[in-house]
Amino acid sequence: SLLNSIEGVRPYPRNKSPFPAVEGLFGCPTIVNNVETIANVPHIIRNGAAWHAGLGCKEDPGSRLWCISGHVEKPGVYEIETGYRLQDLIDGPAGGMKGGRQLKAVIPGGSSSKVLLPVQVKRVTMDTRAVPWARRRSSCWTRPSTWSTRCST
């Protein structure tokens, strides 16, 4: 969708074939890098690959930017190591639910995501292992939360 936006057309994701490295922006070979990837390069160079591989969970090492919004005390963007539990993100850096209310549900990213109930939020981890389980797209990391006295519709 980024390439389409730059080309002045509707920002819909492109079909995977051909890949942008073969035919990307304006039909030319294009390399598209993720901002998080580029942001990690200086830290990896300074501290080494072994240091980076030691962050987070073994299957998905490193840290990621996680956006949490909705009815939490401190909505924002947080850099958290992979493997961190979603419930810990809500209770820790995000300061818990506003007014100490009970969590009702979490939408892990976009309207096509599965709504996670509190029992699921307690066990889901913030890494690629959770992607198929939570049925969310790996590029979507928004965490809007809602509390128990709000209507979900």
Side-chain angles (χ1 to χ4, degrees), residues 71-72 86-87 90-91 97 100-107 116-122 143-149:
H71 303 114
V72 293
L86 176 54
Q87 185 70 57
I90 293 169
D91 293 339
M97 299 302 294
R101 300 197 181 194
Q102 293 295 311
L103 176 70
K104 185 175 185 180
V106 171
I107 304 169
L116 301 178
L117 299 174
V119 67
Q120 296 165 317
V121 171
K122 287 181 182 180
R143 308 278 181 230
S145 305
T146 188
W147 58 46
S148 59
T149 58

Side-chain angles (χ1 to χ4, degrees), residues 62-149:
S63 62
R64 290 230 178 15
L65 298 175
W66 309 96
C67 175
I68 185 163
S69 60
H71 303 114
V72 293
E73 291 290 343
K74 296 187 285 185
V77 179
Y78 299 95
E79 184 174 8
I80 304 288
E81 291 183 17
T82 58
Y84 204 75
R85 287 185 323 123
L86 176 54
Q87 185 70 57
D88 293 339
L89 175 61
I90 293 169
D91 293 339
M97 299 302 294
K98 277 191 179 175
R101 300 197 181 194
Q102 293 295 311
L103 176 70
K104 185 175 185 180
V106 171
I107 304 169
S111 60
S112 63
S113 296
K114 177 182 178 181
V115 175
L116 301 178
L117 299 174
V119 67
Q120 296 165 317
V121 171
K122 287 181 182 180
R123 68 176 190 247
V124 70
T125 55
M126 312 284 281
D127 53 57
T128 55
R129 295 175 301 173
V131 172
W133 181 85
R135 292 194 195 128
R136 57 179 157 74
R137 294 180 9 198
S138 61
S139 62
C140 225
W141 301 112
T142 313
R143 308 278 181 230
S145 305
T146 188
W147 58 46
S148 59
T149 58

Side-chain angles (χ1 to χ4, degrees), residues 21-39:
V22 176
E23 185 179 325
L25 188 63
F26 301 111
C28 298
T30 307
I31 301 297
V32 179
N33 286 305
N34 181 304
V35 172
E36 285 179 295
T37 302
I38 294 170

Side-chain angles (χ1 to χ4, degrees), residues 12-66:
Y12 292 131
R14 295 182 177 189
N15 292 332
K16 292 295 181 196
S17 184
F19 290 100
V22 176
E23 185 179 325
L25 188 63
F26 301 111
C28 298
T30 307
I31 301 297
V32 179
N33 286 305
N34 181 304
V35 172
E36 285 179 295
T37 302
I38 294 170
N40 281 311
V41 170
H43 303 292
I44 295 169
I45 291 171
R46 186 179 316 114
N47 300 307
W51 167 83
H52 185 263
L55 296 175
C57 62
K58 182 180 177 184
E59 298 83 10
D60 186 17
S63 62
R64 290 230 178 15
L65 298 175
W66 309 96

